[in-house]
Amino acid sequence: MSSKQLVCLNEYEKEALAILDRNSSSYYQSGANDEQTLHDNINDFKRFRLRPRMLTDVSEVRLETTILGERISMPICIAPTASQRMAHPLGEIANARAAEAMNTCFVLSTIATTSARELSEHVPNSLRWYQLYITRDRAITQKMVKRAEVYGFKALVLTVDTPTFGTRYSDTRIKFKVPQHLRMANFDGIPSMESGMANNSGGSGLNFFSDTFFDPSVTWKDVAWLKSITALPVVAKGILTGEDAERAIEAGVDAIIVSNHGARQLDGVFSTIIALPEVVAQVRGRVEVYLDGGVRKGTDVLKALSLGARAVFIGRPALYGLAVGGEQGVTDILSILKKELKLAMQLSGETDVQKLRKGLVIHESMMTRL
């Protein structure tokens, strides 16, 4: 852990990038192509402005909420990100422990360096969801679903925006590889995946994974099939339009994450904060809507909640916390966001994350019409 006093998420990012090797830092930072959407995810939050209400009693502020019926201490959770042991030897375990300490939700990536079984053994009482792809070989999907059920995960987070990997110039430029001492642990016990990645000449296993694991033929009918084989709630992650939100609801999903995969898939799409209002308007409260992508401040969280998100999920900031201080670093990241959210609510005249008033946030383009 650095001896410096780090006071905000941007400082944790700078510190982490000074600690991580080039292979890891480039992979964690990278976005698709020219990274337009990567920057928009952060910058577009600044284009929404808060309209505070003065002289209200803000001596008590309620941050607690629920997601899919599970109570959490704040509407800030940890998104699935790959290969967390590149940031810290405990990787996903440290991240999940921090989420548990803060009484919030952690989502385990399919491409994790810690398996679902290992996570359940080390953090048995945590609220954890399992991120999932529908694979070419549906038997692999079924095996992963069964493991999630057996090991106590409370929901499946189905990523719907990845028929194949997007192009990330940075990864190509440095010839990114997962370090040899790490493994994609969720593929343990799946012979076709174990042998294929072990024999991959590039060493990382990612090319084999992309070519053999992702299924470009998946449709909403397959989402309905997934619902038919599990009692776990299914959360569709990667929705950016009202049309797809409607299709997701018709397929039976229980919640939606407005997400562009951390801007790592298709460059030039809307940032998630811009896409959020359209999705919320289409959903009309029929399922819960969450957001990930670009959240770096408590005011970002407040803006997303005001525009209809029930909670936000953070990805890169948790990785940077891991790199700087392991479990404590992630706990610090979550604590900073929680404190910033509470302060933003007090200064805006708000007292309950579940009862934010309409009109608290507007886009800057609407300011001249008031």
Side-chain angles (χ1 to χ4, degrees):
M1 175 68 180
S2 169
S3 61
K4 299 177 184 177
Q5 180 65 39
L6 306 178
V7 300
C8 64
L9 269 60
N10 287 340
E11 290 187 0
Y12 271 85
E13 178 176 353
K14 291 178 182 177
E15 186 75 2
L17 296 179
I19 294 170
L20 293 166
D21 61 52
R22 184 166 178 255
N23 183 70
S24 302
S25 63
S26 180
Y27 179 72
Y28 288 154
Q29 281 186 290
S30 64
N33 299 92
D34 294 330
E35 300 185 340
Q36 173 189 345
T37 302
L38 180 68
H39 297 294
D40 287 347
N41 269 355
I42 295 174
N43 292 332
D44 283 351
F45 272 99
K46 300 173 185 177
R47 298 187 170 92
F48 286 89
R49 304 304 177 94
L50 293 161
R51 301 178 68 241
R53 181 171 56 186
M54 305 305 172
L55 293 181
T56 63
D57 182 357
V58 293
S59 57
E60 294 186 10
V61 175
R62 182 179 176 84
L63 301 182
E64 298 85 359
T65 189
T66 59
I67 51 173
L68 295 179
E70 298 281 349
R71 185 158 297 281
I72 53 177
S73 68
M74 58 182 175
I76 305 165
C77 307
I78 298 182
T81 52
S83 303
Q84 293 180 16
R85 288 180 189 252
M86 293 196 307
H88 187 273
L90 287 179
E92 292 84 358
I93 293 171
N95 224 330
R97 284 176 174 167
E100 182 180 36
M102 295 297 294
N103 190 22
T104 192
C105 181
F106 171 81
V107 187
L108 181 70
S109 171
T110 287
I111 323 175
T113 42
T114 302
S115 70
R117 177 186 58 79
E118 291 172 311
L119 197 69
S120 69
E121 291 174 349
H122 285 88
V123 201
N125 299 316
S126 64
L127 174 59
R128 54 196 184 276
W129 293 356
Y130 186 88
Q131 180 266 329
L132 182 75
Y133 298 98
I134 295 178
T135 57
R136 290 178 184 268
D137 182 349
R138 297 296 191 268
I140 294 177
T141 303
Q142 289 180 293
K143 184 181 288 288
M144 290 190 169
V145 168
K146 176 56 69 176
R147 288 178 178 178
E149 293 172 342
V150 167
Y151 295 130
F153 289 77
K154 297 298 185 180
L156 300 172
V157 178
L158 178 67
T159 295
V160 299
D161 61 6
T162 312
T164 188
F165 274 137
T167 298
R168 301 159 197 166
Y169 293 152
S170 178
D171 294 353
T172 302
R173 191 177 298 115
I174 67 165
K175 299 179 181 179
F176 169 75
K177 295 181 180 180
V178 175
Q180 292 285 352
H181 68 285
L182 300 178
R183 74 192 199 285
M184 294 183 184
N186 283 315
F187 301 144
D188 292 353
I190 302 176
S192 60
M193 297 303 296
E194 287 182 317
S195 62
M197 287 184 295
N199 294 328
N200 182 71
S201 60
S204 71
L206 288 179
N207 290 336
F208 175 84
F209 175 80
S210 176
D211 293 342
T212 64
F213 195 79
F214 293 144
D215 185 353
S217 73
V218 171
T219 70
W220 291 108
K221 291 181 180 178
D222 295 292
V223 179
W225 164 79
L226 177 62
K227 285 286 297 181
S228 75
I229 66 169
T230 182
L232 290 177
V234 173
V235 181
K237 176 180 180 292
I239 303 296
L240 290 172
T241 66
E243 295 94 327
D244 271 347
E246 188 64 37
R247 294 184 184 103
I249 292 172
E250 291 172 355
V253 305
D254 300 278
I256 286 169
I257 301 180
V258 175
S259 172
N260 52 35
H261 210 106
R264 292 164 68 82
Q265 283 297 97
L266 178 63
D267 200 20
V269 300
F270 283 127
S271 66
T272 53
I273 194 64
I274 292 292
L276 177 63
E278 177 184 328
V279 173
V280 169
Q282 183 66 40
V283 168
R284 302 189 303 279
R286 290 174 288 172
V287 300
E288 294 179 356
V289 177
Y290 319 121
L291 172 143
D292 76 23
V295 174
R296 297 294 186 273
K297 300 186 291 291
T299 49
D300 295 341
V301 180
L302 182 57
K303 290 172 183 180
L305 300 178
S306 300
L307 293 172
R310 190 167 185 86
V312 303
F313 288 74
I314 60 168
R316 289 182 178 92
L319 292 172
Y320 298 143
L322 266 180
V324 172
E327 177 185 341
Q328 186 59 54
V330 183
T331 302
D332 291 344
I333 290 287
L334 293 171
S335 297
I336 288 170
L337 281 176
K338 185 176 184 179
K339 291 176 183 178
E340 289 182 348
L341 172 60
K342 180 180 179 180
L343 179 60
M345 290 179 63
Q346 288 177 309
L347 296 179
S348 298
E350 299 295 327
T351 59
D352 191 333
V353 293
Q354 297 189 59
K355 298 178 181 178
L356 298 175
R357 61 186 163 87
K358 293 183 179 179
L360 172 60
V361 172
I362 63 170
H363 192 270
E364 63 184 11
S365 63
M366 300 295 293
M367 294 176 67
T368 58
R369 303 183 190 181
L370 295 178

